[in-house]
Amino acid sequence: MIASSESTYDRLVAALRDLHRIKSTLGLLHWDQQVNLPPASSDFRAEQVAALSELAWREAARPEIGDWLCALESDPDLDADARAVVKRARRDYEEVTRLPGTFVRRKAEAGSKGYHAWHEARSASDFSAFQDALQEQLDLAREQADLLGHADRPYDYWVDHFDPGMTVETIDRLFSALQPELLDLVQTMTGSPNQPDTSFLRGFDVDRQATFVREVIGSLGFDWNRGRLDTAIHPFCSGHAADTRLTTRYHPDVPLDSLFSSIHEAGHGLYEQGLDPDWLGTALGSAVGMAVHESQSRLWENQIGRSPHFWQYWEPRYRVAFAGNLDGVTADDLYRAICAVSVTPIRVDSDEVTYNLHIMLRFLLEKQLFDGSLAVRDLPEAWNARSEEMLGFRPTSDAEGVLQDVHWSSGGFGYFPSYCLGNLLAAQLWYSLRAAVPDLDDQLARGETGAVLTWLRKHVHARAARFDTQALSRAVTGQPLGHHSLIRYLRERYLPLYT
Ligand code: ZN
């Protein structure tokens, strides 16, 4: 790098770090709202969030940033890391500067209106009460895609927005290959007479659940000195490498949900903690996108957390922690309950096998909504028909079908595919990890996951956002995203339990 562009680069990085400080403070306010906020304080909190959001927008849209980016983009001497920082910063800068203020305000208003309409429609299980709000969200989403530019079609913008480098065509190809093999597997499992018994999972003391969850998460390497675990209505992970916030929830009758949601969120947290805190706000201290983030949470939750070897170590400890709950339940019974698979109407209640079908259904419908081949008013019927075709049942109500997810109420299109793409990547990472750590099963049986974290740190976390989704997959697993590893993993893990 030449001296003058280095100082321009330094100024850009300093501005990005400052912007991250503001945005992460906003994130902390959102976390606090879910975890701590007294009910009568929510109006003032909304004012705080609005003021800080405006400040963040002003900082992000500073014209100097545009000047620095132009200067750096025409500098042939920038190294690869600096180019990655500039590329990511350009993407963010376009997003804040190319949307007119009137559009941003319309979108914010439509977002809160949409959420309330969805909430009421879902309570009444009546899609017609949400139809207009959804139409508005779809129009705004198309408009935003046109304002910011997209590959072939407006839906491409949203897919790329959450997973840089991804296109609708690529996802179409992946899902079309995955679907028949997955359906075949699900049919074999659900048709088997050999079904697990989960009836003993009742009345698990929540304090003991909380203690056990902390023990497991701590053993995975979550750093409590720069992270926390609290309770909230919905589990989530927020924050960054310097301060990572996890939430979970406990219910006496769904102890495995608490445990695996917590491991899932810890997987997100471990990714954040593996990013370089000195480069927060830049591509060198950021996650690639949602699919890669989800690959981390899924790998810990499923490939590791549902491994029979992992449970060889944890089962005796679980038995001690919940003495009385597991009388007459064998280690095998418990493990089979952990890997229980059944088709359920609700996505968030589904297991790791059938979950992917729920995602494909949503992707298909989003694609049709965007290309105009499906009208919003026809969505409930399309949902029910697809559900029958892919999951084997028709929802009995809108609440159980098309209204079950919050995402579309505030314009969250293009986000669903990331969950399934994350599962594909997690399975590929699993086989690369196993090749790199040949005695992995023995290590897991001893309760040791250090080699897993070390491998992920080196191959995924340390790369931050230097690569896009597919390039990262190729760099770490030798291949772009595909469906073979996921099918192989699901067969290896689940078929022995169901035949
Ligand atoms: Zn997640």
Side-chain angles (χ1 to χ4, degrees), residues 22-48:
I22 299 170
K23 285 186 179 169
S24 57
T25 306
L26 262 170
L28 201 55
L29 291 182
H30 283 299
W31 168 86
D32 179 71
Q33 196 166 345
Q34 307 289 323
V35 173
N36 292 315
L37 193 69
S41 308
S42 59
D43 286 350
F44 184 68
R45 175 55 48 89
E47 290 167 23
Q48 289 176 307

Side-chain angles (χ1 to χ4, degrees), residues 31-32 34-35 217 228-238 244-250 258 261-266:
W31 168 86
D32 179 71
Q34 307 289 323
V35 173
I217 287 178
R228 292 179 57 89
L229 172 69
D230 295 271
T231 51
I233 293 172
H234 300 289
F236 64 88
C237 169
S238 70
T244 316
R245 306 293 173 110
L246 312 177
T247 69
T248 191
R249 59 186 170 195
Y250 303 103
S258 306
S261 300
S262 305
I263 297 176
H264 178 100
E265 299 310 333

Side-chain angles (χ1 to χ4, degrees), residues 248-468:
T248 191
R249 59 186 170 195
Y250 303 103
H251 189 286
D253 296 337
V254 277
L256 295 180
D257 174 64
S258 306
L259 176 59
F260 285 98
S261 300
S262 305
I263 297 176
H264 178 100
E265 299 310 333
H268 285 302
L270 288 167
Y271 184 18
E272 289 295 333
Q273 289 189 338
L275 297 167
D276 187 343
D278 290 339
W279 288 91
L280 287 173
T282 77
L284 308 183
S286 302
V288 180
M290 288 312 306
V292 177
H293 231 302
E294 205 58 24
S295 77
Q296 299 304 289
S297 54
R298 299 290 170 138
L299 181 82
W300 285 105
E301 177 193 355
N302 296 324
Q303 277 83 6
I304 303 291
R306 287 190 161 85
S307 146
H309 304 94
F310 184 83
W311 278 94
Q312 226 170 295
Y313 177 81
W314 284 104
E315 183 269 335
R317 285 154 182 84
Y318 200 67
R319 197 171 284 285
V320 170
F322 300 103
N325 289 97
L326 297 175
D327 293 343
V329 176
T330 66
D332 192 47
D333 294 336
L334 176 63
Y335 184 63
R336 287 174 53 83
I338 285 165
C339 294
V341 169
S342 62
V343 183
T344 59
I346 306 295
R347 174 185 62 89
V348 294
D349 295 337
S350 64
D351 54 80
E352 68 162 320
V353 185
T354 57
Y355 191 93
N356 299 293
L357 297 170
H358 288 271
I359 295 306
M360 290 175 198
L361 179 146
R362 286 154 179 76
F363 169 72
L364 207 76
L365 297 175
E366 284 190 349
K367 199 177 64 157
Q368 292 179 332
L369 285 172
F370 271 84
D371 71 21
S373 62
L374 174 64
V376 168
R377 67 172 177 279
D378 298 329
L379 183 60
E381 177 48 33
W383 181 291
N384 293 345
R386 288 290 181 191
S387 177
E388 198 158 16
E389 183 186 310
M390 295 169 76
L391 294 158
F393 63 83
R394 259 184 107 78
T396 54
S397 65
D398 287 347
E400 198 185 67
V402 67
L403 290 175
Q404 66 178 274
D405 296 312
V406 66
H407 301 55
W408 291 339
S409 72
S410 52
F413 300 101
Y415 190 97
F416 285 120
S418 306
Y419 295 121
C420 187
L421 297 175
N423 284 339
L424 296 176
L425 182 56
Q428 286 178 221
L429 292 172
W430 173 240
Y431 288 109
S432 300
L433 169 68
R434 294 181 71 77
V437 185
D439 66 335
L440 180 65
D441 291 342
D442 295 335
Q443 293 191 25
L444 294 179
R446 294 195 299 270
E448 294 166 12
T449 52
V452 179
L453 187 57
T454 302
W455 188 85
L456 289 173
R457 289 265 188 266
K458 181 176 170 198
H459 294 280
V460 180
H461 306 178
R463 285 188 159 109
R466 287 173 175 88
F467 298 90
D468 71 14

Side-chain angles (χ1 to χ4, degrees), residues 80-339:
D81 276 2
R83 279 203 306 275
V85 168
V86 169
K87 189 176 170 198
R88 173 65 68 121
R90 166 63 75 190
R91 184 183 161 100
D92 295 343
Y93 189 70
E94 294 300 305
E95 295 227 335
V96 291
T97 54
R98 277 166 64 174
L99 297 178
T102 48
F103 178 86
V104 174
R105 260 193 304 282
R106 259 170 65 215
K107 200 177 162 173
E109 282 165 19
S112 66
K113 223 169 70 189
Y115 176 79
H116 290 295
W118 167 78
H119 202 265
E120 280 178 22
R122 196 179 70 156
S123 304
S125 193
D126 174 15
F127 178 77
S128 66
F130 179 50
Q131 187 178 315
D132 291 347
L134 181 59
Q135 184 67 57
E136 192 178 1
Q137 289 299 342
L138 184 62
D139 294 342
L140 285 164
R142 280 209 196 98
E143 197 177 333
Q144 180 164 342
D146 287 337
L147 284 164
L148 288 165
H150 48 78
D152 289 345
R153 36 192 157 190
Y155 190 32
D156 275 315
Y157 163 79
W158 287 104
V159 162
D160 176 86
H161 177 81
F162 292 112
D163 293 310
M166 199 48 75
T167 65
V168 175
E169 197 193 338
T170 306
I171 298 176
D172 234 346
R173 220 176 34 241
L174 286 167
F175 287 5
S176 305
L178 181 62
Q179 189 178 325
E181 298 207 40
L182 204 52
L183 281 173
D184 192 46
L185 184 62
V186 171
Q187 261 160 22
T188 306
M189 292 166 74
T190 52
S192 162
N194 195 12
Q195 297 297 322
D197 173 18
T198 56
S199 61
F200 61 86
L201 296 168
R202 302 276 177 277
F204 279 56
D205 182 88
V206 292
D207 291 333
R208 288 195 230 161
Q209 285 190 48
T211 305
F212 190 79
V213 159
R214 293 184 73 84
E215 193 185 339
V216 173
I217 287 178
S219 84
L220 305 180
F222 186 76
D223 184 352
W224 298 109
N225 286 321
R226 52 191 176 119
R228 292 179 57 89
L229 172 69
D230 295 271
T231 51
I233 293 172
H234 300 289
F236 64 88
C237 169
S238 70
H240 43 82
D243 182 357
T244 316
R245 306 293 173 110
L246 312 177
T247 69
T248 191
R249 59 186 170 195
Y250 303 103
H251 189 286
D253 296 337
V254 277
L256 295 180
D257 174 64
S258 306
L259 176 59
F260 285 98
S261 300
S262 305
I263 297 176
H264 178 100
E265 299 310 333
H268 285 302
L270 288 167
Y271 184 18
E272 289 295 333
Q273 289 189 338
L275 297 167
D276 187 343
D278 290 339
W279 288 91
L280 287 173
T282 77
L284 308 183
S286 302
V288 180
M290 288 312 306
V292 177
H293 231 302
E294 205 58 24
S295 77
Q296 299 304 289
S297 54
R298 299 290 170 138
L299 181 82
W300 285 105
E301 177 193 355
N302 296 324
Q303 277 83 6
I304 303 291
R306 287 190 161 85
S307 146
H309 304 94
F310 184 83
W311 278 94
Q312 226 170 295
Y313 177 81
W314 284 104
E315 183 269 335
R317 285 154 182 84
Y318 200 67
R319 197 171 284 285
V320 170
F322 300 103
N325 289 97
L326 297 175
D327 293 343
V329 176
T330 66
D332 192 47
D333 294 336
L334 176 63
Y335 184 63
R336 287 174 53 83
I338 285 165
C339 294

